[in-house]
C-alpha cells in the first residue's frame, strides 16, 4: 500500500481563507510612514514560503484597496512593478528612498512584535 504524502506548501480551502484573513489583518496594522515585506507578512501568517501569495491576496481580494497595501514592498525595498502611485503614496508619508529607488529599509521596516 502506498502512502500519499501531503505537500506542506499546499493549502486547503480553509487554510487559504485563514491566510487571506491573516494577511489583511497584518496589512491593516502597518504604521504610517513604515513598510513591511511580503515575506514578513507570509511568515506572520504562518506560511513563510508563501510571500508571492501575499501579493496575490492583496491584488485580488475585493476591499483590499481600502488597506494600506502601498506599505508592502519586497525584501530589498522595491515597490510593486506597474504600480507607479505606490512610491508617491509612501513619499507622502515621509518614507525615504535610496538612490537606487528602493525604500530605505533600515529606517522604515516594520516587523511586528505581536499581531492583534
Amino acid at each position: 500500500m502506498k502512502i500519499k504524502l501531503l505537500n506542506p506548501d499546499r493549502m486547503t480551502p480553509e487554510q487559504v481563507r485563514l491566510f487571506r484573513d491573516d494577511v489583511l489583518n497584518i496589512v491593516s496594522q502597518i504604521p504610517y510612514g513604515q513598510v513591511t515585506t511580503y515575506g514578513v507578512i507570509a511568515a506572520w501568517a504562518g506560511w513563510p514560503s508563501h510571500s508571492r501569495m501575499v501579493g496575490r491576496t492583496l491584488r485580488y481580494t475585493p476591499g483590499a484597496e481600502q488597506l494600506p497595501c502601498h506599505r508592502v514592498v519586497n525584501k530589498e525595498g522595491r515597490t510593486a512593478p506597474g504600480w507607479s502611485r505606490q512610491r508617491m503614496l509612501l513619499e507622502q508619508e515621509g518614507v525615504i528612498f535610496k538612490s537606487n529607488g528602493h525604500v530605505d529599509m533600515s529606517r522604515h521596516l516594520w516587523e511586528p512584535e505581536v499581531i492583534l
Side-chain angles (χ1 to χ4, degrees):
M1 181 169 125
K2 282 189 171 182
I3 297 174
K4 185 176 180 182
L5 298 176
L6 293 174
N7 182 341
D9 287 339
R10 288 222 109 140
M11 293 181 175
T12 65
E14 176 65 11
Q15 288 171 320
V16 170
R17 187 187 65 73
L18 290 172
F19 180 83
R20 181 200 65 220
D21 292 348
D22 288 345
V23 166
L24 299 177
N25 179 43
I26 294 164
V27 171
S28 73
Q29 296 181 54
I30 303 170
Y32 184 92
Q34 293 189 290
V35 299
T36 198
T37 69
Y38 300 101
V40 166
I41 294 170
W44 273 97
W47 293 83
S49 65
H50 284 62
S51 57
R52 288 186 181 185
M53 191 167 171
V54 170
R56 286 192 292 272
T57 298
L58 295 176
R59 182 171 184 175
Y60 296 113
T61 300
E65 66 278 357
Q66 303 303 314
L67 298 173
C69 296
H70 63 283
R71 297 180 188 150
V72 182
V73 297
N74 82 355
K75 65 184 176 184
E76 284 90 29
R78 283 187 309 201
T79 57
W83 188 14
S84 57
R85 284 185 30 95
Q86 185 178 13
R87 179 175 176 144
M88 181 195 66
L89 291 168
L90 290 171
E91 287 176 331
Q92 287 175 348
E93 294 186 10
V95 173
I96 305 296
F97 284 77
K98 299 187 296 186
S99 61
N100 65 1
H102 298 180
V103 169
D104 185 340
M105 299 298 275
S106 67
R107 290 177 144 181
H108 299 287
L109 178 62
W110 175 71
E111 293 183 284
E113 294 178 23
V114 177
I115 298 298
L116 302 175

